[in-house]
mmCIF file of all heavy atoms in Angstrom:
data_model
loop_
_atom_site.group_PDB
_atom_site.id
_atom_site.type_symbol
_atom_site.label_atom_id
_atom_site.label_comp_id
_atom_site.label_asym_id
_atom_site.label_seq_id
_atom_site.Cartn_x
_atom_site.Cartn_y
_atom_site.Cartn_z
ATOM 1 N N ARG F 651 99.900 87.159 75.550
ATOM 2 C CA ARG F 651 101.309 87.009 75.087
ATOM 3 C C ARG F 651 102.199 86.652 76.245
ATOM 4 O O ARG F 651 102.131 87.272 77.324
ATOM 5 C CB ARG F 651 101.731 88.363 74.460
ATOM 6 C CG ARG F 651 103.095 88.343 73.842
ATOM 7 C CD ARG F 651 103.354 89.680 73.204
ATOM 8 N NE ARG F 651 103.856 90.568 74.319
ATOM 9 C CZ ARG F 651 104.121 91.813 74.162
ATOM 10 N NH1 ARG F 651 103.807 92.439 73.036
ATOM 11 N NH2 ARG F 651 104.613 92.503 75.130
ATOM 12 N N TYR F 652 103.021 85.597 76.068
ATOM 13 C CA TYR F 652 103.936 85.111 77.219
ATOM 14 C C TYR F 652 105.151 84.503 76.633
ATOM 15 O O TYR F 652 105.199 84.120 75.427
ATOM 16 C CB TYR F 652 103.165 84.117 78.061
ATOM 17 C CG TYR F 652 103.074 82.769 77.490
ATOM 18 C CD1 TYR F 652 104.008 81.775 77.776
ATOM 19 C CD2 TYR F 652 102.084 82.512 76.598
ATOM 20 C CE1 TYR F 652 103.915 80.563 77.222
ATOM 21 C CE2 TYR F 652 101.945 81.264 76.022
ATOM 22 C CZ TYR F 652 102.874 80.270 76.303
ATOM 23 O OH TYR F 652 102.802 79.013 75.769
ATOM 24 N N SER F 653 106.188 84.238 77.473
ATOM 25 C CA SER F 653 107.322 83.445 77.100
ATOM 26 C C SER F 653 107.805 82.670 78.314
ATOM 27 O O SER F 653 107.650 83.136 79.449
ATOM 28 C CB SER F 653 108.380 84.322 76.572
ATOM 29 O OG SER F 653 108.791 85.309 77.476
ATOM 30 N N LEU F 654 108.276 81.464 78.134
ATOM 31 C CA LEU F 654 108.899 80.673 79.165
ATOM 32 C C LEU F 654 110.329 81.132 79.215
ATOM 33 O O LEU F 654 111.034 81.209 78.188
ATOM 34 C CB LEU F 654 108.846 79.198 78.803
ATOM 35 C CG LEU F 654 107.510 78.527 78.863
ATOM 36 C CD1 LEU F 654 107.564 77.146 78.338
ATOM 37 C CD2 LEU F 654 106.991 78.472 80.334
ATOM 38 N N GLU F 655 110.840 81.462 80.414
ATOM 39 C CA GLU F 655 112.143 81.965 80.601
ATOM 40 C C GLU F 655 112.788 81.466 81.862
ATOM 41 O O GLU F 655 112.070 80.967 82.795
ATOM 42 C CB GLU F 655 112.149 83.554 80.698
ATOM 43 C CG GLU F 655 111.472 84.227 79.515
ATOM 44 C CD GLU F 655 111.348 85.693 79.745
ATOM 45 O OE1 GLU F 655 111.728 86.244 80.761
ATOM 46 O OE2 GLU F 655 110.955 86.381 78.744
ATOM 47 N N PRO F 656 114.118 81.544 82.058
ATOM 48 C CA PRO F 656 114.705 81.262 83.294
ATOM 49 C C PRO F 656 114.220 82.261 84.374
ATOM 50 O O PRO F 656 114.044 83.455 84.063
ATOM 51 C CB PRO F 656 116.227 81.430 83.054
ATOM 52 C CG PRO F 656 116.390 81.445 81.564
ATOM 53 C CD PRO F 656 115.053 81.861 81.037
ATOM 54 N N VAL F 657 114.114 81.912 85.587
ATOM 55 C CA VAL F 657 113.728 82.731 86.637
ATOM 56 C C VAL F 657 114.796 83.807 86.854
ATOM 57 O O VAL F 657 115.956 83.411 86.966
ATOM 58 C CB VAL F 657 113.427 82.005 87.985
ATOM 59 C CG1 VAL F 657 113.091 82.935 89.068
ATOM 60 C CG2 VAL F 657 112.300 80.983 87.756
ATOM 61 N N PRO F 658 114.495 85.085 86.967
ATOM 62 C CA PRO F 658 115.486 86.092 87.304
ATOM 63 C C PRO F 658 116.265 85.770 88.554
ATOM 64 O O PRO F 658 115.719 85.205 89.501
ATOM 65 C CB PRO F 658 114.720 87.381 87.431
ATOM 66 C CG PRO F 658 113.441 87.163 86.625
ATOM 67 C CD PRO F 658 113.133 85.702 86.771
ATOM 68 N N ARG F 659 117.565 86.060 88.558
ATOM 69 C CA ARG F 659 118.379 85.675 89.758
ATOM 70 C C ARG F 659 117.863 86.247 91.051
ATOM 71 O O ARG F 659 118.077 85.641 92.106
ATOM 72 C CB ARG F 659 119.793 86.083 89.525
ATOM 73 C CG ARG F 659 120.459 85.263 88.452
ATOM 74 C CD ARG F 659 121.955 85.698 88.298
ATOM 75 N NE ARG F 659 122.539 84.969 87.160
ATOM 76 C CZ ARG F 659 123.599 84.223 87.374
ATOM 77 N NH1 ARG F 659 124.182 84.122 88.476
ATOM 78 N NH2 ARG F 659 124.094 83.581 86.310
ATOM 79 N N SER F 660 117.266 87.374 90.973
ATOM 80 C CA SER F 660 116.815 88.023 92.299
ATOM 81 C C SER F 660 115.573 87.336 92.820
ATOM 82 O O SER F 660 115.169 87.629 93.924
ATOM 83 C CB SER F 660 116.553 89.549 92.053
ATOM 84 O OG SER F 660 115.558 89.683 91.047
ATOM 85 N N LEU F 661 114.938 86.484 92.055
ATOM 86 C CA LEU F 661 113.821 85.728 92.538
ATOM 87 C C LEU F 661 114.227 84.207 92.696
ATOM 88 O O LEU F 661 115.219 83.817 92.123
ATOM 89 C CB LEU F 661 112.651 85.769 91.547
ATOM 90 C CG LEU F 661 112.163 87.184 91.085
ATOM 91 C CD1 LEU F 661 111.079 87.061 90.069
ATOM 92 C CD2 LEU F 661 111.721 87.943 92.331
ATOM 93 N N SER F 662 113.479 83.447 93.404
ATOM 94 C CA SER F 662 113.803 82.046 93.534
ATOM 95 C C SER F 662 112.642 81.214 93.119
ATOM 96 O O SER F 662 111.494 81.646 93.240
ATOM 97 C CB SER F 662 114.232 81.718 94.955
ATOM 98 O OG SER F 662 113.111 81.899 95.829
ATOM 99 N N SER F 663 112.884 80.019 92.671
ATOM 100 C CA SER F 663 111.899 79.111 92.177
ATOM 101 C C SER F 663 112.420 77.759 92.227
ATOM 102 O O SER F 663 113.601 77.486 91.982
ATOM 103 C CB SER F 663 111.421 79.425 90.772
ATOM 104 O OG SER F 663 110.453 78.480 90.313
ATOM 105 N N SER F 664 111.608 76.719 92.562
ATOM 106 C CA SER F 664 112.058 75.322 92.618
ATOM 107 C C SER F 664 112.482 74.787 91.276
ATOM 108 O O SER F 664 113.482 74.057 91.214
ATOM 109 C CB SER F 664 110.894 74.446 93.134
ATOM 110 O OG SER F 664 110.509 74.842 94.450
ATOM 111 N N CYS F 665 111.897 75.138 90.200
ATOM 112 C CA CYS F 665 112.206 74.459 88.926
ATOM 113 C C CYS F 665 113.052 75.361 88.053
ATOM 114 O O CYS F 665 113.616 74.859 87.053
ATOM 115 C CB CYS F 665 110.940 74.090 88.165
ATOM 116 S SG CYS F 665 110.079 75.474 87.413
ATOM 117 N N GLY F 666 113.201 76.641 88.330
ATOM 118 C CA GLY F 666 114.042 77.502 87.517
ATOM 119 C C GLY F 666 113.414 78.031 86.292
ATOM 120 O O GLY F 666 114.051 78.788 85.540
ATOM 121 N N THR F 667 112.149 77.778 86.050
ATOM 122 C CA THR F 667 111.422 78.216 84.847
ATOM 123 C C THR F 667 110.299 79.224 85.304
ATOM 124 O O THR F 667 109.596 78.902 86.236
ATOM 125 C CB THR F 667 110.793 77.109 84.064
ATOM 126 O OG1 THR F 667 111.850 76.211 83.649
ATOM 127 C CG2 THR F 667 110.090 77.617 82.772
ATOM 128 N N CYS F 668 110.163 80.295 84.616
ATOM 129 C CA CYS F 668 109.072 81.197 84.903
ATOM 130 C C CYS F 668 108.319 81.565 83.624
ATOM 131 O O CYS F 668 108.808 81.249 82.520
ATOM 132 C CB CYS F 668 109.525 82.452 85.579
ATOM 133 S SG CYS F 668 110.439 83.610 84.496
ATOM 134 N N ILE F 669 107.197 82.151 83.726
ATOM 135 C CA ILE F 669 106.415 82.686 82.601
ATOM 136 C C ILE F 669 106.431 84.220 82.758
ATOM 137 O O ILE F 669 106.135 84.720 83.815
ATOM 138 C CB ILE F 669 104.963 82.187 82.544
ATOM 139 C CG1 ILE F 669 104.982 80.689 82.134
ATOM 140 C CG2 ILE F 669 104.213 83.014 81.586
ATOM 141 C CD1 ILE F 669 103.651 80.095 81.944
ATOM 142 N N HIS F 670 106.872 84.856 81.664
ATOM 143 C CA HIS F 670 106.922 86.292 81.608
ATOM 144 C C HIS F 670 105.768 86.670 80.691
ATOM 145 O O HIS F 670 105.715 86.244 79.568
ATOM 146 C CB HIS F 670 108.266 86.724 81.015
ATOM 147 C CG HIS F 670 108.512 88.180 81.007
ATOM 148 N ND1 HIS F 670 109.642 88.696 80.446
ATOM 149 C CD2 HIS F 670 107.764 89.242 81.435
ATOM 150 C CE1 HIS F 670 109.614 89.982 80.578
ATOM 151 N NE2 HIS F 670 108.532 90.361 81.180
ATOM 152 N N PHE F 671 104.805 87.432 81.229
ATOM 153 C CA PHE F 671 103.590 87.690 80.401
ATOM 154 C C PHE F 671 103.122 89.176 80.588
ATOM 155 O O PHE F 671 103.505 89.830 81.576
ATOM 156 C CB PHE F 671 102.432 86.775 80.666
ATOM 157 C CG PHE F 671 101.828 86.725 82.031
ATOM 158 C CD1 PHE F 671 100.639 87.381 82.253
ATOM 159 C CD2 PHE F 671 102.430 86.116 83.112
ATOM 160 C CE1 PHE F 671 100.002 87.425 83.452
ATOM 161 C CE2 PHE F 671 101.828 86.112 84.340
ATOM 162 C CZ PHE F 671 100.621 86.748 84.523
ATOM 163 N N TYR F 672 102.286 89.601 79.656
ATOM 164 C CA TYR F 672 101.741 90.946 79.673
ATOM 165 C C TYR F 672 100.238 90.911 79.666
ATOM 166 O O TYR F 672 99.635 90.137 78.826
ATOM 167 C CB TYR F 672 102.248 91.704 78.363
ATOM 168 C CG TYR F 672 103.733 91.842 78.327
ATOM 169 C CD1 TYR F 672 104.515 90.814 77.860
ATOM 170 C CD2 TYR F 672 104.356 93.001 78.793
ATOM 171 C CE1 TYR F 672 105.900 90.940 77.774
ATOM 172 C CE2 TYR F 672 105.721 93.145 78.721
ATOM 173 C CZ TYR F 672 106.520 92.081 78.211
ATOM 174 O OH TYR F 672 107.850 92.220 78.220
ATOM 175 N N ALA F 673 99.569 91.624 80.568
ATOM 176 C CA ALA F 673 98.128 91.668 80.627
ATOM 177 C C ALA F 673 97.752 92.930 81.426
ATOM 178 O O ALA F 673 98.567 93.512 82.162
ATOM 179 C CB ALA F 673 97.557 90.421 81.302
ATOM 180 N N ASP F 674 96.446 93.306 81.295
ATOM 181 C CA ASP F 674 95.935 94.424 82.020
ATOM 182 C C ASP F 674 95.882 94.069 83.503
ATOM 183 O O ASP F 674 96.207 94.877 84.365
ATOM 184 C CB ASP F 674 94.545 94.825 81.553
ATOM 185 C CG ASP F 674 94.552 95.425 80.191
ATOM 186 O OD1 ASP F 674 95.554 96.111 79.827
ATOM 187 O OD2 ASP F 674 93.601 95.233 79.418
ATOM 188 N N THR F 675 95.599 92.787 83.800
ATOM 189 C CA THR F 675 95.641 92.250 85.160
ATOM 190 C C THR F 675 95.836 90.817 85.025
ATOM 191 O O THR F 675 95.605 90.204 83.967
ATOM 192 C CB THR F 675 94.344 92.568 85.922
ATOM 193 O OG1 THR F 675 94.506 92.207 87.309
ATOM 194 C CG2 THR F 675 93.182 91.928 85.395
ATOM 195 N N TRP F 676 96.260 90.073 86.046
ATOM 196 C CA TRP F 676 96.479 88.661 85.992
ATOM 197 C C TRP F 676 95.220 87.986 86.627
ATOM 198 O O TRP F 676 94.565 88.582 87.451
ATOM 199 C CB TRP F 676 97.789 88.251 86.693
ATOM 200 C CG TRP F 676 97.692 88.430 88.203
ATOM 201 C CD1 TRP F 676 98.008 89.520 88.871
ATOM 202 C CD2 TRP F 676 97.371 87.395 89.100
ATOM 203 N NE1 TRP F 676 97.813 89.289 90.229
ATOM 204 C CE2 TRP F 676 97.353 88.011 90.439
ATOM 205 C CE3 TRP F 676 97.010 86.012 89.024
ATOM 206 C CZ2 TRP F 676 97.106 87.266 91.567
ATOM 207 C CZ3 TRP F 676 96.683 85.341 90.176
ATOM 208 C CH2 TRP F 676 96.793 85.973 91.439
ATOM 209 N N LYS F 677 94.973 86.776 86.162
ATOM 210 C CA LYS F 677 93.827 85.962 86.732
ATOM 211 C C LYS F 677 94.454 84.655 87.261
ATOM 212 O O LYS F 677 95.199 84.006 86.536
ATOM 213 C CB LYS F 677 92.867 85.761 85.669
ATOM 214 C CG LYS F 677 92.185 87.093 85.141
ATOM 215 C CD LYS F 677 91.133 86.768 84.124
ATOM 216 C CE LYS F 677 90.550 88.127 83.677
ATOM 217 N NZ LYS F 677 89.488 87.861 82.673
ATOM 218 N N GLU F 678 93.963 84.305 88.421
ATOM 219 C CA GLU F 678 94.436 82.980 88.999
ATOM 220 C C GLU F 678 94.049 81.804 88.170
ATOM 221 O O GLU F 678 94.857 80.825 88.114
ATOM 222 C CB GLU F 678 93.820 82.856 90.412
ATOM 223 C CG GLU F 678 94.374 81.775 91.217
ATOM 224 C CD GLU F 678 93.958 81.704 92.639
ATOM 225 O OE1 GLU F 678 93.455 82.801 93.152
ATOM 226 O OE2 GLU F 678 94.065 80.666 93.313
ATOM 227 N N GLU F 679 92.999 81.911 87.408
ATOM 228 C CA GLU F 679 92.561 80.783 86.543
ATOM 229 C C GLU F 679 93.577 80.499 85.449
ATOM 230 O O GLU F 679 93.585 79.403 84.856
ATOM 231 C CB GLU F 679 91.169 81.094 85.962
ATOM 232 C CG GLU F 679 91.167 82.278 84.930
ATOM 233 C CD GLU F 679 89.850 82.833 84.770
ATOM 234 O OE1 GLU F 679 89.132 82.962 85.743
ATOM 235 O OE2 GLU F 679 89.453 83.167 83.633
ATOM 236 N N TRP F 680 94.494 81.443 85.136
ATOM 237 C CA TRP F 680 95.505 81.183 84.093
ATOM 238 C C TRP F 680 96.631 80.380 84.593
ATOM 239 O O TRP F 680 97.451 79.854 83.872
ATOM 240 C CB TRP F 680 96.065 82.478 83.584
ATOM 241 C CG TRP F 680 95.096 83.400 82.826
ATOM 242 C CD1 TRP F 680 93.918 83.009 82.233
ATOM 243 C CD2 TRP F 680 95.202 84.767 82.647
ATOM 244 N NE1 TRP F 680 93.298 84.091 81.649
ATOM 245 C CE2 TRP F 680 94.086 85.195 81.948
ATOM 246 C CE3 TRP F 680 96.095 85.747 83.013
ATOM 247 C CZ2 TRP F 680 93.893 86.534 81.487
ATOM 248 C CZ3 TRP F 680 95.933 87.022 82.651
ATOM 249 C CH2 TRP F 680 94.850 87.420 81.885
ATOM 250 N N MET F 681 96.747 80.232 85.938
ATOM 251 C CA MET F 681 97.874 79.555 86.502
ATOM 252 C C MET F 681 97.582 78.075 86.895
ATOM 253 O O MET F 681 96.484 77.858 87.364
ATOM 254 C CB MET F 681 98.354 80.296 87.788
ATOM 255 C CG MET F 681 98.842 81.720 87.544
ATOM 256 S SD MET F 681 100.248 81.761 86.332
ATOM 257 C CE MET F 681 99.612 82.798 85.013
ATOM 258 N N ASP F 682 98.480 77.212 86.674
ATOM 259 C CA ASP F 682 98.393 75.834 87.034
ATOM 260 C C ASP F 682 98.403 75.682 88.538
ATOM 261 O O ASP F 682 98.940 76.606 89.199
ATOM 262 C CB ASP F 682 99.415 75.011 86.375
ATOM 263 C CG ASP F 682 99.256 73.487 86.485
ATOM 264 O OD1 ASP F 682 98.221 72.977 85.964
ATOM 265 O OD2 ASP F 682 100.075 72.861 87.088
#
Side-chain angles (χ1 to χ4, degrees):
R651 186 178 82 187
Y652 76 95
S653 60
L654 289 170
E655 301 176 357
V657 176
R659 288 181 186 238
S660 60
L661 305 177
S662 64
S663 174
S664 299
C665 76
T667 301
C668 73
I669 288 184
H670 187 182
F671 67 100
Y672 298 84
D674 291 328
T675 188
W676 70 276
K677 295 183 182 178
E678 190 170 340
E679 66 201 42
W680 295 338
M681 298 300 122
D682 191 62

